[in-house]
Amino acid sequence: MTRASAKGSGPVPGQGVTIVAPPGGPVRRAREAGGPRGRRVRSVGLALLAAAVALAGCQRGSSKDPATAATGPGGCPAAQAAAVAAVARAERTDSAWNGPTTGPAAVSGKTIVYVAQTMTNPGVAGVADGLREAAHVIGWRIRVIDGGGSPAGIQAAMSEAVDLRPSGIVIGGFDPGSTAQQIDAAAAAGIPLIGWHAVAAPGPSRRPPLFTNVTTRVSDVAGISAQWIIAHSGGRAGVVLFTDASVPFAKRKSDLVREKLATCAGVRLLAYENIPIPDAGTRTPREIASLLSRFPDTWTHSVAINDLYFADAAPAFRAAGRKGAGPPVNIGAGDGDPSAFQRINSRQYQAATVPEPLSEQGWQIVDEFNRAFSGRPASGYIASTHVSTAANSAGATAWDPPGYREAYRRIWGR
């Protein structure tokens, strides 16, 4: 998700548990070579017994305490084993390109307008950068119109885009329902629309009429985020979840995170923090201070539907004297912007991210438009889910998987 619409830890003495070893055995850490971009790390701790998990929802802009105790009395061996295996796969950095290898040759002379919810969000901006790079290769013109993050600004930006009568329009990180009139006008003018994080599911959409929507599967991103916490904590964690329930995409993601966390009896959801993304900069620091007061010893992990919450949370953690490596140990379920990687690599209030391959998705958008202009169906490609940590990022500030540039150049004949 996006800001105005879209991932080493060690316990502080006396402030909760991040990894629990099974009785009679130490925490196991297995390391193996990961590939040219880094190495993979798996950390496992098993705990016994089972307990019920209490979860609760909330209304827009509020939070609620689903449980008073941080962790259950035991772990979840089966769920934990599945989580460890899934995380190990997701942390690989050497996977081969699994996207399209065939398609139409480049169509010339096209102009694409990218309507951004707000270019101040690194996720939206990262896709725009990839779009520009790919457009330069294929020989198209790109214009970016910034909606500024407000409903009125986004509507005005969409109106301007339609009035320009471009070859295609990108819905960059906002709900098309908020610009229904402009969407209808674009459809009436025969202008194809492609979304980025525009609707919950990847692929073509009839309502709204999108040739395709480019995104990872929200269920995969949510699931691996929760599994990372289960694996990292050894099946015992007190979790705070940050979301924006006013955005359907974000709300769906956080609901799926809750469901996956609930598969481990030793994990308790302490609080569900509903902070609208436009308000995150002002509200998150206050909420962090309140949460630290309410759960000083039991808050071990956090997950947010976007990394930006941890950018806003870091000053509050620092002011409270919390160490950068936690607890709480934090993972962002999107988008993997450069500031998130910087926090992860320096172990400053974020341990992991589930990043979107932003540049790759910009290239995919160009390829999908080329298919639309050629009368071909959408490619059906969905990028694989990845988890980035300090151990496998090799100091990078973005998740940029290998192979896609060469593949698309071959398809386009460029």
Side-chain angles (χ1 to χ4, degrees):
M1 273 311 303
T2 57
R3 176 178 284 271
S5 30
K7 301 168 176 23
S9 63
V12 176
Q15 290 187 337
V17 180
T18 54
I19 300 179
V20 180
V27 173
R28 294 177 287 137
R29 292 188 180 273
R31 299 187 177 222
E32 55 186 316
R37 294 175 58 88
R39 60 187 183 278
R40 294 171 284 160
V41 178
R42 294 186 296 172
S43 51
V44 185
L46 296 178
L48 303 176
L49 304 177
V53 179
L55 299 176
C58 71
Q59 302 301 316
R60 171 180 169 85
S62 64
S63 65
K64 193 169 184 178
D65 299 346
T68 56
T71 61
C76 48
Q80 186 183 339
V84 168
V87 169
R89 289 191 299 270
E91 288 183 346
R92 293 190 60 178
T93 61
D94 59 352
S95 299
W97 168 248
N98 64 345
T101 57
T102 61
V107 177
S108 300
K110 300 299 181 180
T111 298
I112 305 299
V113 174
Y114 181 80
V115 180
Q117 185 167 28
T118 172
M119 286 294 286
T120 62
N121 180 268
V124 173
V127 173
D129 289 342
L131 189 68
R132 291 189 186 101
E133 182 184 44
H136 177 73
V137 170
I138 204 171
W140 295 353
R141 294 183 299 275
I142 296 294
R143 178 167 178 175
V144 176
I145 303 177
D146 191 346
S150 70
I154 293 168
Q155 290 171 5
M158 273 296 293
S159 293
E160 181 180 354
V162 175
D163 289 343
L164 290 170
R165 292 296 191 269
S167 308
I169 297 174
V170 182
I171 309 299
F174 58 89
D175 179 5
S178 65
T179 59
Q181 183 177 347
Q182 292 83 0
I183 295 290
D184 290 343
I191 303 171
L193 303 172
I194 288 180
W196 179 78
H197 285 205
V199 294
S205 169
R206 293 184 62 188
R207 296 183 181 177
L210 303 178
F211 179 76
T212 195
N213 181 53
V214 175
T215 180
T216 50
R217 287 189 181 90
V218 65
S219 58
D220 292 346
V221 173
I224 200 65
S225 302
Q227 287 183 306
W228 188 89
I229 289 176
I230 293 169
H232 184 272
S233 69
R236 289 175 58 91
V239 182
V240 172
L241 171 57
F242 296 91
T243 192
D244 180 351
S246 70
V247 179
F249 186 93
K251 178 64 164 56
R252 175 63 175 157
K253 185 186 290 187
S254 57
D255 287 346
L256 291 168
V257 170
R258 286 162 56 128
E259 291 175 11
K260 183 61 72 171
L261 289 173
T263 64
C264 181
V267 172
R268 292 280 180 86
L269 185 62
L270 299 176
Y272 181 90
E273 292 292 321
N274 178 17
I275 302 175
I277 290 174
D279 302 335
T282 56
R283 283 199 45 195
T284 302
R286 296 198 304 268
E287 296 298 336
I288 293 295
S290 174
L291 289 162
L292 288 172
S293 176
R294 286 150 53 196
F295 309 113
D297 301 321
T298 54
W299 180 11
T300 67
H301 291 76
S302 311
V303 57
I305 54 92
N306 191 290
D307 295 304
L308 65 89
Y309 287 98
F310 299 126
D312 298 323
F317 285 128
R318 190 174 292 110
R322 291 299 177 107
K323 293 182 178 179
V329 179
N330 303 317
I331 180 171
D335 291 321
D337 63 78
S339 67
F341 276 86
Q342 290 164 7
R343 289 189 297 276
I344 290 166
N345 292 334
S346 61
R347 293 175 171 82
Q348 289 297 303
Y349 308 106
Q350 188 167 351
T353 184
V354 184
E356 296 286 317
L358 300 172
S359 179
E360 178 190 285
Q361 289 174 335
W363 281 67
Q364 183 184 349
I365 289 170
V366 168
D367 182 66
E368 301 290 3
F369 272 125
N370 195 56
R371 292 169 190 270
F373 301 148
S374 303
R376 304 280 285 274
S379 72
Y381 174 59
I382 303 170
S384 301
T385 304
H386 178 71
V387 174
S388 290
T389 66
N392 70 359
S393 69
T397 57
W399 167 231
D400 196 29
Y404 66 91
R405 290 180 176 89
E406 297 80 4
Y408 285 128
R409 281 179 176 273
R410 284 194 295 269
I411 292 171
W412 303 337
R414 300 294 192 185

